[in-house]
């Protein structure tokens, strides 16, 4: 399929257009389907056991346990005196979570006025430490319960926390007392920045709790979607979170998932709600992921909000 893209570089665009047209045909009509929700929760529990496995905990990763990096071949970390104390005891979430909102960073959120809608959820998940400043509140809301942080953000935005940690701690305050979910054991260079982020928060008695993503969970979720026609080198952060939410929540609504450059009104849409920096091309397969999410929307398993909120 990849070769096909290279030979016909124009191929992707019409396909995206077809997807957009299909969404337009379907509209945002949504009817909850409890059977669909139950089936998916069961499938995800069987493959990936999100309740027990989504984070590295003292329970699932005792001293001496070998954690295999999910983004590298043959690299592992053996839990030791230095890392074990940093893990939470067990799953810290009050389960089951009721209404969950998973907020992607798509430009479709801009002018969506979905902020209130998002803030009404019982548990709100966001990706990659997104901006929640005043200008965006109306569109994306203010509350957060879990936010992912890629180690590369620590490196790029906060000088790897090797200098002042104050700016980082200050910037994290916008996420209140949520969980910061970091893939500390996915890529080898990501471990140190993740541990530094842990200490920056712990040393300043921050209200935030660090959770390290369990690489085994990330790997099994990757396999789950690979079997469902998502052929990316790595799943996007948003799809990991949707999978987590489908496993843990009674009802899931997703916002900000729209990897297309035109909106439903045929107007241009930026890649993010806060900028238009495009992702590294073949790393993720967001349109492929979107198709799967849209299937779940149509079957009533997951509610995708792709237009303006009422
Ligand atoms: O780091 P990554 O590229 O995965 O994520 P991001 O650009 O910070 O956006 C967070 C998530 O929102 C992505 O992982 C996607 O799942 C989703 N997204 C989308 O569906 N459409 C967009 N235009 C941008 C992001």
């Amino acid at each position: 399929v990849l070769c096909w893209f290279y030979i016909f570089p124009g191929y992707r665009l019409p396909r995206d257009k077809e997807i957009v047209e299909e969404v337009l045909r379907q509209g945002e009509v949504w009817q909850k389907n409890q059977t669909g929700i139950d089936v998916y929760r069961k499938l995800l529990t069987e493959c990936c056991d999100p309740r027990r496995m989504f984070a590295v905990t003292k329970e699932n990763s005792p001293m001496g346990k070998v954690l295999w990096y999910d983004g590298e071949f043959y690299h592992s970390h053996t839990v030791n005196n230095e890392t074990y104390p940093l893990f939470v005891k067990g799953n810290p979430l009050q389960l089951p979570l009721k209404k969950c909102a998973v907020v992607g960073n798509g430009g479709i959120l801009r002018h969506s006025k979905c902020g209130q809608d998002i803030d009404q959820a019982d548990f709100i998940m966001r990706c990659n430490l997104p901006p929640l400043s005043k200008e965006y509140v109306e569109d994306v809301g203010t509350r957060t319960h879990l936010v992912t942080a890629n180690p590369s953000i620590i490196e790029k935005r906060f000088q790897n926390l090797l200098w002042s940690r104050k700016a980082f701690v200050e910037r994290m305050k916008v996420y209140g007392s949520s969980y910061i979910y970091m893939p500390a054991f996915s890529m080898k260079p990501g471990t140190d920045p993740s541990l530094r982020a842990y200490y920056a928060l712990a040393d300043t008695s921050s209200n935030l709790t660090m959770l390290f993503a369990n690489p085994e969970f990330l790997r099994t979720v990757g396999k789950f979607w690979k079997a469902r026609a998502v052929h990316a080198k790595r799943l996007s952060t948003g799809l990991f979170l949707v999978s987590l939410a489908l496993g843990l929540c009674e009802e899931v609504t997703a916002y900000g998932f729209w990897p297309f450059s035109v909106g439903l009104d045929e107007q241009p849409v930026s890649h993010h709600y806060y900028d238009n920096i495009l992702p590294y091309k073949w790393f993720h397969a967001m349109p492929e992921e979107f198709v799967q999410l849209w299937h779940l929307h149509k079957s009533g398993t997951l509610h995708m909000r792709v237009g303006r909120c009422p």
Side-chain angles (χ1 to χ4, degrees), residues 103-108 127-128 150 235-240 255-260 269-272 274 277 279 284 286 289-290 293:
V103 188
N105 288 335
I108 192 126
C127 306
N128 296 325
N150 212 302
L235 296 185
S236 76
T237 310
L239 189 56
F240 278 122
Y255 303 81
F257 287 78
W258 189 260
F260 311 111
V269 178
S270 58
H271 183 59
H272 291 136
Y274 45 87
I277 298 172
H284 294 320
M286 284 190 200
E289 293 184 356
F290 181 89
L293 294 176

Side-chain angles (χ1 to χ4, degrees), residues 69 72 75-77 184-193:
Y69 283 70
E72 311 243 23
H75 273 102
S76 64
H77 168 80
F185 303 101
S186 288
M187 309 284 274
K188 200 85 183 165
T191 303
D192 277 354

